[in-house]
Amino acid sequence: MDVNPLEAVEPADESPAAPTHSRLNPAVAITVALLATFMGICKVKDDNIVQGMQQAQADKLDHWAFYQARNLREEVAKATLIQLRLQADDRPANRRAAYDEAIAQYEALAKDQLAKKEELRKQALVDQQTYDALNFRDDQFDLSDALLAIAISLLAIASLTQLWWLFFLSLVPAGFGVLMGLSGLVGWDVHPTALIQLLS
């Protein structure tokens, strides 16, 4: 007589026990999906803001470089003016007309460079203001990313441990992360400066 080992094993209960926290995993999944989608939208906007910051920084550097070039031209024109005036003093009256014409030309050149230099200085300052305003919003998106990443990590642990209190705890950084992301998207003036300085 052959012994069948399967006959010695008691049959398993066909109806698996319902998990005690069956609604936690779907809640975690939906929350993670919503937060990830929101992070994606914020990432697109943040990338555009970073491009704007790079352009403002490049414009500022260009304007300051042109400012320095105009400054050099102005200084050369002023130095030439001094030389022409000193030389004109030693010339007879019949030869001073050419010096006076050259002096007038270099005076106009110096004034022109001064005006253009001042315009470039103003443009560079506007570029800096643009950069600072964009950086303000970039900080909001950076903080939003950090808070939402913390929330998603807590949600993953909540799903593994099946602890509802951990799920609700994760909603705290999630809420602040969404607030910061919306602030960056809409342009609200929400900026926890102390926290951002700590992280930067």
Side-chain angles (χ1 to χ4, degrees):
M1 164 170 158
D2 291 334
V3 177
N4 187 353
L6 295 178
E7 291 177 358
V9 177
E10 293 186 18
D13 188 5
E14 296 297 326
S15 61
T20 56
H21 301 287
S22 62
R23 292 191 311 212
L24 179 59
N25 285 342
V28 167
I30 291 169
T31 306
V32 168
L34 291 173
L35 293 179
T37 302
F38 184 74
M39 285 177 75
I41 293 168
C42 289
K43 180 68 174 154
V44 171
K45 185 66 174 176
D46 189 30
D47 286 347
N48 291 334
I49 286 175
V50 169
Q51 288 176 4
M53 288 172 64
Q54 292 170 343
Q55 185 62 53
Q57 186 75 350
D59 290 343
K60 181 183 80 169
L61 294 174
D62 286 346
H63 288 136
W64 279 123
F66 282 128
Y67 174 89
Q68 292 300 331
R70 297 283 184 198
N71 192 44
L72 286 174
R73 290 177 187 170
E74 180 191 8
E75 292 302 320
V76 168
K78 286 179 178 178
T80 305
L81 267 173
I82 291 170
Q83 289 177 349
L84 287 171
R85 286 180 179 144
L86 291 173
Q87 291 172 358
D89 288 342
D90 295 339
R91 303 292 177 214
N94 61 348
R95 295 192 60 197
R96 286 196 57 150
Y99 280 94
D100 289 341
E101 184 180 327
I103 288 171
Q105 180 183 353
Y106 277 98
E107 282 177 343
L109 179 62
K111 287 179 183 176
D112 180 57
Q113 294 305 311
L114 177 63
K116 289 180 178 177
K117 182 178 78 169
E118 182 61 22
E119 182 181 331
L120 286 167
R121 186 186 69 80
K122 289 177 182 176
Q123 288 176 341
L125 293 176
V126 168
D127 294 333
Q128 182 63 48
Q129 290 172 351
T130 302
Y131 179 86
D132 291 341
L134 291 172
N135 188 46
F136 183 90
R137 293 181 67 194
D138 181 58
D139 288 344
Q140 291 172 321
F141 285 118
D142 290 345
L143 192 55
S144 174
D145 282 347
L147 289 167
L148 293 177
I150 292 169
I152 289 173
S153 298
L154 289 173
L155 286 166
I157 296 170
S159 179
L160 288 173
T161 59
Q162 294 294 303
L163 296 172
W164 274 101
W165 68 265
L166 199 53
F167 172 80
F168 291 117
L169 179 64
S170 71
L171 297 181
V172 175
F176 283 117
V178 169
L179 174 65
M180 293 309 299
L182 286 174
S183 298
L185 289 171
V186 179
W188 294 338
D189 193 21
V190 177
H191 195 264
T193 307
L195 181 58
I196 288 174
Q197 286 177 347
L198 178 68
L199 297 175
S200 63

